[in-house]
Amino acid sequence: MKRLFLLLSVIFLCTGLYATPVLSSGEGKFTYKDYPPFADRPVDVHYYIPVSGDVRQMPVVFVFEGADRGYSYLLKTWKREAEKHKFMVFIPHFGLKEYPLCDYQEVGVIDNNTHTVRSAEEQTPALIDKIFEYVKENSGSQRTGYMIYGHSAGGQFVQRFMLFYDSPYVEKAVIGSPGWYTFPDTSLDFPYGVRNIPYITSETIKKYLAKPIVLQLAAGDTVRESYLRKTPEAEAQGRNRYERGNSFYQYIHQIAAEKNWPCHWQKIDEQGIGHHSTGMGERAVPVMLGDSLRALFIGNSYTQYNHLVRQVQAIAASTGHKLSVKLVEHGGWTLKKHAANPETLDAIREGNWDFVVLQDQSKAPAREKDWVRENVYKPAYSLDSLRRLYNPQGKTVFYMTWGHHIDTYAEMQQRLAESYLEMTHQLNAWCAPIGMAWKRIRTENPDFTLYNPDHSHPSVQGSYLAANVFCTVFFQKPYTSGYLAGLSRNEALYLQQMAQETVLSNLSLWNIQPSPQPEDVTRQFYPDPERKYTTPTLGKPVEEGLASLFEITRYLQALADKHSDKVTLANIGNTPQGREIPILYFGTAKEDKKIKVWMQAGLHGNEPAGPEAACLLADYLLGTPEGADILKKVSLALIPVANPDGYAFQSRKSGSGFDLNRDQSKLSDPVTLLLKEAYKEWNPEIALDIHEFSPFRKEFGRLRGSRATTAADVLFLPSGHLNISDGIRRLSNGLFREEAEKALAANGYNSGFYFTPHIKNDSLYAIKDAKSPQSSSTYQGLTNAASLFIEIRGIGLGRTSFARRADCGFRVSRSLLETAAVHHKEVKKTIQKAVRETCAGKSDVFVTFQPTRTELPVSFIDLSKKERFTETLPTLDALQLKADLVRKRPKAYILPDSCPMQAEKLRALGIKVEKSRKAFTTTVEKYIVTEYRKTDKEWEKIYPVTVSTRVIKEKKSFPAGSFIVRLSQKNANLAITLLEPESVNGFVNFGVIHTERGQELPVYRER
């Protein structure tokens, strides 16, 4: 009996130990030091285990740090993903001192002291296997393997981990944007190749290519930072991370093809993002977890041709998505036949479909409306109802086909679009707009072969286009697929791009992201003007959505060709994705008697009313007597689409992943540099930036307890920055804004001041207007240009009220030009006075300031009651600023010769910078950093810094080649704002100038 009691006690104790693992749920840390080869270099492992879910079966993911060896921001992002997707995440912290580059990025292949090759057991990846064994033993996990992810330097670690170490545990590896690679190339020495690593044989390389590895590249990762490796060997891989990744991927597939070896590597090109560790990590999660979607295709030969469904699956797999597919098709069948077919109905009843794709016979939806309602809409409704019953979480997707290649193509295509979109919106389904992508290619590239010789069915190219439209609809993000369906790479990439632009630029039209504005609110409060338009978007059917960049450029070119004596169309440069940035010049920068105006729209790619307004303005100036009169006194530089990469996909950010209106002073994006160069060359006296704002904010629900929206058509965003001349501010917020408001009111539009809503202490308050140079409103004012910045009510509305929105932009831009022409002398005089005062340098420098607390009456619309109401909000008003820190204005700022990058950024912003020819000594004020705080939240790919400084006067010697920024220049106020270290959005704040607490800054004030 005693033995039985003891046995039960042991079992109870063991069970208790197992039920209470050492690694409990939530966030934690343990130190691992039990692996003998690394016992003298213990590693802190930071982790997160979800608080709910079955720990025994959760996937295990190891994430590796970048070159900064920072784990805190990684853990913050990855623990959120871990809790959401139920996986455990572990981040080993490899200290820089204990694990230098040779032992981390280069995984310890070479002993840096003896310069000999280490055994696999002594290399850093072996330590990860041991940590995994520790995790299994102490967490209760029953997983047999783990996954690994690293970005940048962490990506280098993962890439070499998989090449040099053959772990029995790794289930999948995702390599995120390394700076450079070790190629499995036996003609190059390590670390660029493997010639001097004796255990890397052809069999090792064959095994490496067969491993489950995903190379994740950011299409916007094209910036050559100072810390990017630039050795000849690294440069041979490419000029930037994106080029180097593609070069590496092409190399390993070339080896596989030459040797006839299996290659299981996949590549994902992430669009709309640059070198962003946490953003790329978030996108890697579904790639690692492999969550599978299921799609049922119901159709006929159009769905069957060229194995369309298999192509969809192959494209999905090549971009890291699992997609299970099933096809029910019969040649020539209609939806009416499918609705009566037991095979089709049983397939829908299988359930668990994420997407049920419906495609009717090619001619049926193009017939007369009454026939279509009876023979197309009714069976579609029947099939959709069955889908809702058995797949309530799924979505019906209508496969919009294309018109036949015959004389009546245009009419047939229009009817197909009308019918499919009507069904889509009636049933709250989605539409896969293959017919619209087809039409776009027919227009832009008419020699491209999309049809089979029968002029009806798709060619291989046509089916590949359709497959890419489906993948874009299903996954709703840009990608680059390595699956080419036997096409040339250029053909395939072109079709991928056309498919993605067609879908992503009109998500509300395809009902994938429906317009948040009810139709009755549109009719009652926001009707479109009743007039005919010829501009790119408004001049074509609603079913075709927003104008493409091709259509906008074609429109501008036609205007320039017709009016070559009045306007010149030029290109200020190409974006990182290769798109041109067109600009219209009405006059020249040398016509000093005229007022020079700069206008830009589309700085945010998802704000399409501005580009259309710019086209309306160009048409007005060139096609009316009133426009001709304006051009007698005004010269205009007009950029309709300042962010072409973003516009192509209706994405706010640029192709490099930057918000260009947050890049006004740090100049991180190549597009910003192009825009600033053109602005500097034009040297405007007046500037207008046209934007749109989102009128639907969740904060507004606190006003009445129901959904509400901002009522105004246009909100003005003047700058109250205290370093802007008083005269410039009076022109901007006085004359030009007031005249623009009158013009809007005369046409039935409402306006007000721009604000952003915030919640504090459970109460709603507003932040009004702009005060920092991160916005073009302030940047332009600091260059002594009268600056107008407008926000039109529109983000998220797609084509809803589009004519009204574009007309608002047109009315403001026209008013600005008319006001400049009518008040020509007054405006010129005020601006010239502001420039003289700036150059004279008698005013103090306002370094930091705070908005005044006031109240702002704001008009809203109650979406439930369909009524307008006004609410007065507590407000922080940036038009009424109070200075916190004021300094005497220096004669100049001096930067030592170690700051060429900072000097180039100043020059790019239009600030004159001299370079001293010889050494000199002068009395200066130097800054000593007394307080330093770096945010732990990443913003626009940086971690902004806030400092306080102590200013000390001394005599200082500077070497030849030092940089001098004299303040007797037009853009001195901008220089002041960028170089004073406490300044918001200045060079210190944005990390353009690096510092730490107690350091002397490399900026000096010459008094």
Side-chain angles (χ1 to χ4, degrees):
M1 191 68 181
K2 285 183 179 180
R3 287 181 181 176
L4 178 61
F5 176 77
L6 287 170
L7 179 61
L8 290 172
S9 298
V10 170
I11 292 171
F12 175 79
L13 285 170
C14 291
T15 305
L17 287 170
Y18 179 79
T20 311
V22 173
L23 304 179
S24 56
S25 61
E27 184 178 334
K29 182 191 84 170
F30 64 88
T31 302
Y32 185 78
K33 54 184 177 182
D34 296 341
Y35 184 46
F38 294 89
D40 60 336
R41 292 185 288 170
V43 173
D44 289 340
V45 181
H46 300 265
Y47 69 86
Y48 184 84
I49 299 175
V51 296
S52 62
D54 187 355
V55 173
R56 294 171 299 174
Q57 301 304 322
M58 283 180 186
V60 175
V61 176
F62 280 86
V63 175
F64 299 100
E65 304 161 319
D68 63 354
R69 309 296 173 91
Y71 62 83
S72 58
Y73 60 93
L74 292 176
L75 186 61
K76 186 175 181 180
T77 295
W78 279 89
K79 74 178 184 181
R80 182 177 65 244
E81 296 297 314
E83 187 63 60
K84 179 180 177 182
H85 297 283
K86 305 305 176 192
F87 63 87
M88 293 189 274
V89 63
F90 297 87
I91 305 177
H93 175 56
F94 291 98
L96 278 164
K97 182 179 178 181
E98 297 81 11
Y99 292 88
L101 183 148
C102 60
D103 287 341
Y104 183 57
Q105 285 99 315
E106 295 177 6
V107 301
V109 172
I110 303 285
D111 187 316
N112 212 34
N113 295 317
T114 64
H115 303 290
T116 58
V117 178
R118 289 190 176 115
S119 66
E121 293 76 20
E122 297 175 302
Q123 294 176 21
T124 316
L127 181 61
I128 307 305
D129 275 357
K130 297 302 178 183
I131 295 173
F132 172 66
E133 292 169 0
Y134 175 89
V135 167
K136 280 196 66 175
E137 184 179 339
N138 293 282
S139 68
S141 173
Q142 296 178 10
R143 299 286 295 199
T144 58
Y146 61 87
M147 291 172 279
I148 54 177
Y149 177 78
H151 179 265
S152 196
Q156 292 186 46
F157 179 83
V158 173
Q159 188 257 315
R160 296 183 181 96
F161 181 129
M162 298 302 285
L163 174 58
F164 294 105
Y165 184 74
D166 195 19
S167 169
Y169 298 126
V170 174
E171 298 169 342
K172 181 183 284 188
V174 181
I175 302 168
S177 297
W180 56 287
Y181 297 77
T182 297
F183 279 57
D185 186 341
T186 55
S187 68
L188 295 173
D189 282 342
F190 184 83
Y192 299 101
V194 295
R195 179 168 58 187
N196 54 337
I197 310 299
Y199 63 84
I200 299 295
T201 64
S202 61
E203 194 59 34
T204 309
I205 296 172
K206 179 180 178 181
K207 196 170 186 179
Y208 177 53
L209 301 185
K211 289 179 179 180
I213 300 174
V214 179
L215 181 58
Q216 182 200 35
L217 303 177
D221 202 345
T222 57
V223 179
R224 287 169 58 82
E225 304 97 339
S226 58
Y227 49 83
L228 179 70
R229 181 171 286 213
K230 300 182 181 71
T231 60
E233 296 89 345
E235 294 285 62
Q237 298 178 8
R239 286 183 51 78
N240 53 58
R241 295 183 189 85
Y242 186 62
E243 285 185 10
R244 292 175 185 182
N246 279 298
S247 173
F248 180 79
Y249 188 74
Q250 185 177 358
Y251 178 83
I252 60 172
H253 275 275
Q254 182 181 335
I255 293 176
E258 290 174 354
K259 303 284 189 180
N260 197 26
W261 290 343
C263 185
H264 295 156
W265 280 60
Q266 297 175 1
K267 179 169 72 75
I268 300 174
D269 283 26
E270 302 285 4
Q271 304 295 322
I273 191 169
H275 200 61
H276 193 288
S277 57
T278 54
M280 290 285 279
E282 288 173 336
R283 297 189 184 194
V285 170
V287 177
M288 284 191 294
L289 300 182
D291 294 337
S292 181
L293 295 173
R294 301 181 74 236
L296 170 65
F297 287 79
I298 296 170
N300 49 53
S301 57
Y302 273 33
T303 310
Q304 185 273 334
Y305 248 57
N306 302 312
H307 305 293
L308 169 65
V309 174
R310 285 191 215 165
Q311 288 196 43
V312 175
Q313 193 173 28
I315 294 167
S318 74
T319 57
H321 297 93
K322 282 189 177 179
L323 181 69
S324 301
V325 296
K326 182 171 183 174
L327 171 63
V328 180
E329 65 83 24
H330 295 279
W333 270 36
T334 62
L335 290 180
K336 192 171 185 178
K337 285 188 176 181
H338 275 296
N341 178 35
E343 179 192 8
T344 304
L345 303 181
D346 286 345
I348 296 174
R349 292 189 188 104
E350 281 183 27
N352 202 29
W353 297 113
D354 295 284
F355 309 107
V356 175
V357 179
L358 301 181
Q359 180 242 318
D360 211 320
Q361 194 270 341
S362 63
K363 296 179 182 178
R367 294 184 60 175
E368 58 274 14
K369 292 184 178 181
D370 289 343
W371 188 93
V372 170
R373 289 192 182 98
E374 183 65 29
N375 295 281
V376 178
Y377 290 7
K378 281 189 177 181
Y381 178 84
S382 175
L383 292 167
D384 178 69
S385 297
L386 191 66
R387 191 276 305 163
R388 291 172 187 271
L389 181 63
Y390 286 91
N391 305 270
Q393 302 304 316
K395 202 73 182 176
T396 296
V397 180
F398 283 107
Y399 175 173
M400 181 201 290
T401 55
W402 50 88
H404 293 182
H405 192 39
I406 52 179
D407 292 343
T408 56
Y409 163 79
E411 293 83 352
M412 184 178 182
Q413 183 57 60
Q414 182 61 24
R415 280 294 298 129
L416 287 170
E418 290 170 354
S419 296
Y420 275 112
L421 286 175
E422 190 171 345
M423 285 190 289
T424 294
H425 289 277
Q426 282 182 355
L427 299 178
N428 192 27
W430 289 357
C431 180
I434 289 123
M436 286 296 101
W438 205 282
K439 182 172 183 178
R440 179 171 172 181
I441 291 175
R442 281 180 56 119
T443 301
E444 298 183 17
N445 198 347
D447 294 332
F448 207 92
T449 304
L450 293 173
Y451 291 93
N452 186 277
D454 65 7
H455 301 297
S456 170
H457 288 88
S459 65
V460 173
Q461 290 91 335
S463 293
Y464 188 74
L465 174 67
N468 278 281
V469 169
F470 279 119
C471 281
T472 311
V473 167
F474 292 165
F475 305 116
Q476 294 167 43
K477 68 174 186 178
Y479 61 82
T480 300
S481 171
Y483 172 74
L484 309 181
L487 303 175
S488 72
R489 181 171 177 80
N490 287 343
E491 271 187 313
L493 292 180
Y494 171 71
L495 292 169
Q496 288 178 31
Q497 179 183 325
M498 290 296 101
Q500 291 168 45
E501 288 189 17
T502 301
V503 174
L504 298 176
S505 63
N506 289 283
L507 289 174
S508 62
L509 182 60
W510 319 133
N511 207 42
I512 297 170
Q513 292 179 9
S515 170
Q517 184 160 288
E519 289 185 11
D520 49 359
V521 169
T522 300
R523 284 192 299 270
Q524 183 176 346
F525 296 102
Y526 303 104
D528 281 330
E530 294 184 4
R531 55 170 287 196
K532 289 185 178 181
Y533 294 91
T534 59
T535 44
T537 292
L538 294 170
K540 64 178 186 175
V542 171
E543 291 79 14
E544 295 184 23
L546 299 170
S548 67
L549 289 166
F550 173 88
E551 289 170 318
I552 292 173
T553 304
R554 181 178 62 180
Y555 180 84
L556 299 176
Q557 188 64 62
L559 285 178
D561 291 344
K562 185 178 179 181
H563 303 279
S564 57
D565 57 327
K566 296 180 181 178
V567 67
T568 302
L569 177 63
N571 170 32
I572 68 168
N574 286 30
T575 70
Q577 294 183 4
R579 296 182 177 89
E580 293 185 350
I581 307 174
I583 186 169
L584 287 172
Y585 290 111
F586 300 80
T588 71
K590 296 180 180 180
E591 297 175 282
D592 293 333
K593 291 184 179 180
K594 291 184 178 182
I595 292 183
K596 288 181 291 184
V597 180
W598 170 276
M599 288 189 187
Q600 65 184 32
L603 195 64
H604 291 144
N606 63 336
E607 299 172 8
E612 194 76 4
C615 291
L616 285 168
L617 179 67
D619 184 59
Y620 172 79
L621 292 173
L622 297 171
T624 66
E626 295 85 355
D629 287 341
I630 289 173
L631 293 178
K632 291 175 183 176
K633 292 188 176 182
V634 172
S635 293
L636 171 65
L638 175 63
I639 295 187
V641 187
N643 177 9
D645 290 347
Y647 183 90
F649 300 105
Q650 286 299 293
S651 169
R652 178 182 177 90
K653 294 190 176 183
S654 71
S656 301
F658 288 98
D659 182 328
L660 297 183
N661 201 42
R662 303 292 178 267
D663 197 39
Q664 299 289 315
S665 57
K666 56 188 176 66
L667 306 183
S668 300
D669 195 293
V671 173
T672 308
L673 288 168
L674 292 172
L675 292 169
K676 294 305 179 194
E677 184 64 30
Y679 181 92
K680 179 175 67 175
E681 289 180 5
W682 190 251
N683 193 21
E685 294 154 295
I686 305 171
L688 169 64
D689 202 347
I690 304 175
H691 286 253
E692 292 190 81
F693 72 94
S694 175
F696 298 91
R697 299 288 296 259
K698 62 182 180 181
E699 294 93 340
F700 298 156
R702 294 174 177 264
L703 296 170
R704 289 188 167 187
S706 60
R707 286 185 68 218
T709 174
T710 311
D713 289 286
V714 177
L715 298 177
F716 289 86
L717 179 60
S719 178
H721 198 288
L722 294 180
N723 286 328
I724 296 175
S725 158
D726 289 342
I728 295 292
R729 277 187 278 154
R730 282 195 300 271
L731 281 180
S732 304
N733 190 37
L735 177 64
F736 285 109
R737 181 186 62 80
E738 290 167 2
E739 290 300 315
E741 287 201 316
K742 291 176 187 176
L744 289 168
N747 287 276
Y749 302 134
N750 303 295
S751 61
F753 283 102
Y754 181 78
F755 70 97
T756 52
H758 288 264
I759 303 294
K760 187 174 182 180
N761 298 327
D762 209 35
S763 297
L764 177 65
Y765 73 99
I767 296 179
K768 175 188 169 193
D769 304 315
K771 65 174 182 178
S772 67
Q774 72 178 29
S775 166
S776 65
S777 176
T778 300
Y779 165 78
Q780 290 158 358
L782 288 169
T783 65
N784 273 312
S787 175
L788 209 60
F789 185 113
I790 64 167
E791 298 268 7
I792 301 168
R793 185 183 185 279
I795 289 181
L797 294 181
R799 280 289 303 253
T800 301
S801 303
F802 192 76
R804 182 186 185 94
R805 290 151 49 197
D807 196 50
C808 283
F810 165 67
R811 298 294 171 184
V812 172
S813 56
R814 173 180 162 179
S815 168
L816 181 141
L817 295 178
E818 289 175 339
T819 304
V822 171
H823 298 272
H824 181 271
K825 291 183 179 179
E826 176 190 346
V827 171
K828 274 273 189 184
K829 184 177 179 181
T830 302
I831 292 171
Q832 289 168 356
K833 181 182 178 184
V835 172
R836 286 196 303 271
E837 290 175 346
T838 300
C839 293
K842 294 181 180 179
S843 60
D844 287 335
V845 170
F846 299 99
V847 183
T848 62
F849 26 75
Q850 296 299 324
T852 300
R853 294 182 178 274
T854 181
E855 292 184 332
L856 178 69
V858 181
S859 293
F860 297 94
I861 291 173
D862 187 315
L863 294 175
S864 300
K865 296 181 178 179
K866 310 296 186 296
E867 64 181 22
R868 189 187 300 267
F869 68 96
T870 299
E871 193 80 21
T872 299
L873 301 178
T875 301
L876 297 178
D877 189 351
L879 279 182
Q880 302 180 51
L881 293 170
K882 294 180 179 178
D884 284 337
L885 176 60
V886 182
R887 290 191 174 116
K888 291 294 181 182
R889 193 181 189 94
K891 291 179 182 177
Y893 290 97
I894 302 173
L895 284 71
D897 59 349
S898 59
C899 296
M901 178 268 288
Q902 292 82 358
E904 281 307 305
K905 284 186 183 283
L906 291 169
R907 290 189 181 110
L909 288 164
I911 297 165
K912 295 177 183 177
V913 181
E914 300 173 20
K915 192 172 183 179
S916 65
R917 294 183 178 181
K918 56 185 179 179
F920 64 97
T921 302
T922 186
T923 301
V924 297
E925 293 173 331
K926 67 179 181 180
Y927 303 100
I928 304 297
V929 178
T930 57
E931 293 181 23
Y932 173 93
R933 185 173 64 83
K934 188 176 184 179
T935 63
D936 58 2
K937 183 178 181 181
E938 190 176 38
W939 178 87
E940 285 294 299
K941 306 182 188 180
I942 61 170
Y943 293 87
V945 166
T946 303
V947 301
S948 296
T949 64
R950 180 163 49 95
V951 178
I952 301 173
K953 189 174 182 179
E954 67 172 26
K955 244 184 185 179
K956 188 172 179 68
S957 297
F958 294 91
S962 295
F963 302 99
I964 304 168
V965 182
R966 303 192 190 282
L967 296 190
S968 55
Q969 60 173 293
K970 172 178 173 286
N971 291 346
N973 293 330
L974 179 59
I976 287 166
T977 304
L978 297 176
L979 294 176
E980 288 293 331
E982 293 87 352
S983 178
V984 176
N985 307 132
F987 277 5
V988 171
N989 186 204
F990 277 164
V992 177
I993 293 175
H994 298 282
T995 188
E996 292 287 347
R997 183 186 177 93
Q999 285 190 355
E1000 178 179 322
L1001 283 168
V1003 180
Y1004 302 89
R1005 311 172 96 244
E1006 184 179 29
R1007 294 293 303 277

